[in-house]
Amino acid sequence: MSHLPSALIRPGEAVLLLRLAGPLQSWGTRSVFNRRETNAEPTKSGVIGLLAAACGVDRQDSLSELLPLRLGIRVDQPGTLLRDYHTVSDYRGRPLPQAGVNAKGMQKPTSPVKHTHVTTRYYLQDAVFLAAVAGPSALLSTLDEAVRAPAYPLALGRRSCPPTQPMSLGMREQTLEESLREEPWQSSRRAREQHATQLGRERGLDHPLYPSRIDRSATLEDTDGDDVLHDAPVSFDPHTRSFTSRRVRHTWLNIPTGFPRPDDESIGGTPDDAGHDPFALLGW
Amino acid sequence: MTPPGPRTYIDIHILQTVPPANLNRDDQGNPKEAYFGGVRRSRVSSQAWKRATRTHFAERIPKQDLATRTRRIGAALTERILEGSDTDAEAGARLAAALLTQLKISAGKKEGDTAYLFFYGRRQLDALAALVRGRATELSALDDTELADIVKQMPVQEQFSTGHPVDVALFGRMVADIPALKVDAATQVAHALSTHAVELEFDYFTAVDDEQEKDETGAGMIGTIGFNSATLYRYASVGLHQLQDNLTDDEAAVTAVEEFVTSFARSMPTGYKNSFAHRTLPSLVAVVVRADQPVNLVSAFEEPVSVTSGIAAASARNLAREHTRALDAWGDAPAFTGLCHTFTDSDDTTELLQHAFGTPHAFPELLIGLRAHLTDVLKQAAR
């Protein structure tokens, strides 16, 4: 596990923490036409889009203030992939026309006759993420206020995926990494119980184990990062919609579980290695 | 970045029990599902219920006030231009094409540029036809270049930028080529999820051949239909401020909210309706108007309701508790709450509901209360 020196907090900077949770989420990057995919984690364009919607920024408006914000995502509950079968058809039961038109300008019917157009949409189900947005304090406190009283309804990547409350967990005077390391685990009560039961079973116990900290994966924006994601928005204007890439670093963070009475003694180790980290053997 | 101004969101929470049914099926023909809180749930997609809502609108609202989604806008416009005009069909079509060029929906060209369905208001099309109707003969006499120049001066795009029909204002419109014609939806509809764990079941059926010869045995055909039965949590939110923007009329915005709440509550997707006759009405409708943010209460069911007995009542109690809990924790009191429910058997349920959402009313009274509140909100804002 790499331990890069965490950058000092720049003067006037802070972090805004957002809990991204709901039954369904969908964070697409390359989706076009009939196949609408989702990434395993929220994208930067998705989070910036959400903040822009909260502020009432229209698609044609400049995003210059929001683009320099840095994003960190922690995976509190990864969720699973849901494939949704979706069809489009004419409600009068007529065959669908094709894109081409004849000499009279009338659309030609599909041949062979096609009544239904099939599209596939992918969602993440049962997932919870913690997003940390780093930038100027003044801007973030406006964004915090906007998320609590949004101009447009907020969505987790797609309109039909409203978030559950609370979304904003408030501001932190910390670095991106510190804030993600110190915020308690946001996963559902049921998932936390399941984790404790599984942990107990792994240790050969017939009762659940409640550690004080566990490891969760995270993706942090970092100019020295070793991976490149092509999900940073440049403009949401339908005519000039474009994206650029950003450098990120994937890491594991040892985070507080928030269990009321952690029983680390019975695990037989320090809280730091309480989580299951197979890579520790390799000295990563 | 400036903080947003005053907002009004109307949240609609519905609990509805559906008997064995297959409202919205996937490519295997089985009801759609999703995992939530670690267990399998029945799911009805937002698209399916929005379509049911639109269809319900269509039965109640005069056709003139509604939009239509079609690729045949050219023919519809031609027909309107020809009404009460002595121009021939060919000239009418030419004028329509010239007008539609302004919308970059050109008809009569060989490229497939009418490739998408355009969602427009019938009144908007009337207004567009009115731009040329009186001058049809004069305009038809012009050559193509002169005609194009004159049409360019006409406020064609403007006809489609204001006075949207109710369903465009509510559900939005996407026109890829002309951002100016795009309308952001004022509603947000979530996928309906069951409040409890649901397993997929199969109905094995055989069909008997009525004309079967006596010495033959066996069925004419066999098959299975996937189905499940569920108490669904349905959630939608309407932004009144956005609806006002889309409709540019306060009275119309309040009416649109009322129509949406009615149609959303009373509609039902029709999938396999003849096999299952699943037409039910909600057991609970709670309308919550908020000035801060929409609040989706689906977390009430993250811990699935247990399936011993009375799932609907247990779900209602969970919903009431979640609403009260959110209120206590965040302290953001709603501006208005309206409740309509059918629970009578348990004092516990009715008390919890009353504590969370106020005195229950019959649905029509709930709507009257909602209308009065929203009218008030708009009056205060205008002051």
Side-chain angles (χ1 to χ4, degrees):
Chain A
M1 203 184 292
S2 66
H3 280 289
L4 298 170
S6 60
L8 293 170
I9 310 169
R10 295 176 208 171
E13 289 229 323
V15 169
L16 172 66
L17 290 178
L18 301 173
R19 175 180 162 275
L20 304 176
L24 299 176
Q25 321 197 6
S26 188
W27 305 96
T29 45
R30 288 179 302 274
S31 295
V32 284
F33 307 121
N34 296 342
R35 196 182 152 90
R36 301 280 170 173
E37 294 173 1
T38 177
N39 283 15
E41 290 176 20
T43 55
K44 187 167 186 189
S45 60
V47 175
I48 296 288
L50 185 146
L51 294 172
C55 294
V57 173
D58 285 321
R59 270 167 237 270
Q60 287 88 341
D61 293 351
S62 157
L63 295 171
S64 58
E65 262 191 283
L66 297 174
L67 297 184
L69 295 171
R70 284 165 296 129
L71 176 70
I73 298 283
R74 189 177 83 190
V75 181
D76 281 20
Q77 192 177 311
T80 51
L81 191 66
L82 172 74
R83 187 177 68 92
D84 189 51
Y85 169 80
H86 178 260
T87 59
V88 183
S89 54
D90 188 311
Y91 69 97
R92 294 158 298 197
R94 294 180 194 166
L96 291 173
Q98 53 166 279
V101 292
N102 62 19
K104 285 183 187 159
M106 301 293 286
Q107 278 186 291
K108 291 182 277 191
T110 38
S111 167
V113 166
K114 189 179 178 186
H115 281 92
T116 307
H117 195 59
V118 177
T119 77
T120 308
R121 284 147 202 247
Y122 288 87
Y123 295 87
L124 283 178
Q125 51 186 349
D126 221 358
V128 180
F129 301 97
L130 179 67
V133 182
S137 303
L139 172 61
L140 290 180
S141 78
T142 310
L143 294 177
D144 186 12
E145 208 179 308
V147 168
R148 291 168 199 266
Y152 296 120
L154 304 180
L156 302 170
R158 191 173 286 153
R159 186 84 178 193
S160 62
C161 307
T164 54
Q165 297 301 327
M167 186 166 217
S168 173
L169 302 180
M171 310 243 299
R172 302 286 184 276
E173 296 280 333
Q174 285 169 317
T175 63
L176 201 59
E177 181 160 348
E178 281 163 12
S179 67
L180 288 178
R181 196 192 294 284
E182 290 317 317
E183 192 63 21
W185 196 17
Q186 297 298 313
S187 134
S188 70
R189 200 185 68 79
R190 197 181 173 86
R192 292 146 61 87
E193 281 298 327
Q194 274 173 358
H195 180 85
T197 308
Q198 176 69 25
L199 196 59
R201 218 177 279 140
E202 280 169 13
R203 306 290 161 111
L205 304 171
D206 56 0
H207 59 85
L209 258 190
Y210 298 98
S212 64
R213 297 183 87 93
I214 57 159
D215 286 340
R216 294 281 94 182
S217 74
T219 305
L220 298 157
E221 206 158 318
D222 186 335
T223 43
D224 300 324
D226 47 11
D227 193 11
V228 175
L229 295 181
H230 193 77
D231 70 345
V234 175
S235 166
F236 291 127
D237 185 331
H239 269 182
T240 57
R241 191 176 160 86
S242 61
F243 298 91
T244 184
S245 49
R246 59 180 179 125
R247 283 209 161 263
V248 296
R249 168 165 61 92
H250 300 287
T251 186
W252 289 86
L253 300 174
N254 194 237
I255 66 161
T257 51
F259 284 123
R261 281 181 303 283
D263 43 9
D264 288 315
E265 308 76 48
S266 56
I267 301 173
T270 58
D272 275 15
D273 58 25
H276 176 66
D277 179 15
F279 293 107
L281 284 172
L282 302 169
W284 287 9
Chain B
M1 246 4 78
T2 49
R7 311 291 170 200
T8 304
Y9 286 106
I10 299 108
D11 285 338
I12 303 136
H13 309 277
I14 292 179
L15 287 175
Q16 184 160 5
T17 301
V18 181
N22 186 346
L23 305 183
N24 180 210
R25 54 189 186 262
D26 64 14
D27 42 357
Q28 310 293 307
N30 298 325
K32 287 186 176 181
E33 298 178 329
Y35 272 82
F36 182 50
V39 300
R40 183 144 88 150
R41 316 281 182 130
S42 175
R43 174 171 66 95
V44 181
S45 72
S46 61
Q47 298 92 352
W49 223 302
K50 271 192 286 191
R51 189 174 186 286
T53 307
R54 274 189 65 199
T55 313
H56 194 266
F57 266 156
E59 289 162 11
R60 294 159 19 82
I61 301 178
K63 226 177 164 191
Q64 273 302 309
D65 293 336
L66 287 175
T68 180
R69 194 192 289 268
T70 178
R71 292 177 171 181
R72 293 179 37 82
I73 186 171
L77 182 59
T78 307
E79 199 177 289
R80 279 172 171 75
I81 291 172
L82 294 178
E83 266 168 33
S85 156
D86 52 359
T87 335
D88 62 35
E90 199 183 327
R94 189 166 157 254
L95 290 177
L99 285 170
L100 292 177
T101 309
Q102 297 302 305
L103 299 174
K104 302 197 178 120
I105 308 171
S106 33
K109 286 190 183 161
K110 279 182 187 162
E111 291 86 34
D113 48 5
T114 56
Y116 51 81
L117 296 163
F118 192 59
F119 196 31
Y120 67 91
R122 291 182 173 82
R123 283 192 202 285
Q124 292 176 323
L125 207 58
D126 283 340
L128 188 56
L131 292 177
V132 297
R133 199 180 289 137
R135 309 166 57 187
T137 325
E138 166 208 345
L139 291 172
S140 302
L142 300 173
D143 71 29
D144 285 353
T145 338
E146 288 170 327
L147 178 61
D149 284 343
I150 287 189
V151 170
K152 229 173 255 171
Q153 308 301 318
M154 294 179 176
V156 173
Q157 287 199 15
E158 282 76 358
Q159 304 304 328
F160 286 95
S161 309
T162 54
H164 297 299
V166 152
D167 40 358
V168 167
L170 281 166
F171 299 118
R173 177 173 66 197
M174 178 78 203
V175 180
D177 299 344
I178 315 168
L181 296 184
K182 196 174 162 302
V183 181
D184 267 312
T187 57
Q188 183 175 32
V189 179
H191 292 239
L193 284 182
S194 67
T195 63
H196 51 94
V198 162
E199 291 303 321
L200 174 62
E201 296 180 66
F202 290 99
D203 181 32
Y204 170 82
F205 68 86
T206 62
V208 178
D209 190 334
D210 288 342
E211 304 289 330
Q212 187 134 291
E213 298 294 329
K214 276 207 175 77
D215 53 349
E216 285 179 51
T217 57
M221 75 166 288
I222 57 170
T224 54
I225 301 177
F227 70 94
N228 60 30
S229 165
T231 295
L232 298 169
Y233 170 65
R234 299 166 51 206
Y235 169 78
S237 181
V238 188
L240 182 66
H241 44 283
Q242 208 176 333
L243 203 49
Q244 251 179 305
D245 263 9
N246 290 351
L247 290 165
T248 43
D249 179 351
D250 285 3
E251 169 87 18
V254 175
T255 306
V257 172
E258 201 177 334
E259 297 294 352
F260 178 76
V261 175
T262 308
S263 289
F264 185 60
R266 288 181 179 274
S267 60
M268 175 69 103
T270 52
Y272 271 125
K273 68 173 176 186
N274 292 345
S275 303
F276 290 105
H278 55 251
R279 201 73 180 75
T280 58
L281 286 166
S283 337
L284 178 147
V285 179
V287 178
V288 180
V289 181
R290 310 185 60 102
D292 50 355
Q293 60 179 344
V295 177
N296 176 2
L297 295 174
V298 73
S299 311
F301 311 110
E302 184 157 13
E303 188 71 26
V305 173
S306 94
V307 279
T308 45
S309 72
I311 292 182
S315 304
R317 291 196 291 273
N318 279 12
L319 186 74
R321 284 194 203 102
E322 180 72 16
H323 181 73
T324 310
R325 216 171 14 239
L327 221 80
D328 292 346
W330 304 96
D332 312 314
F336 170 88
T337 55
L339 175 67
C340 161
H341 70 75
T342 58
F343 301 106
T344 49
D345 44 348
S346 147
D347 287 348
D348 193 22
T349 309
T350 48
E351 248 170 57
L352 272 170
L353 286 173
Q354 180 149 353
H355 177 64
F357 301 109
T359 317
H361 294 286
F363 191 66
E365 282 155 38
L366 185 159
L367 290 177
I368 292 169
L370 177 65
R371 172 175 270 277
H373 173 78
L374 296 180
T375 310
D376 225 39
V377 166
L378 293 177
K379 253 189 224 147
Q380 301 241 329
R383 213 171 280 151

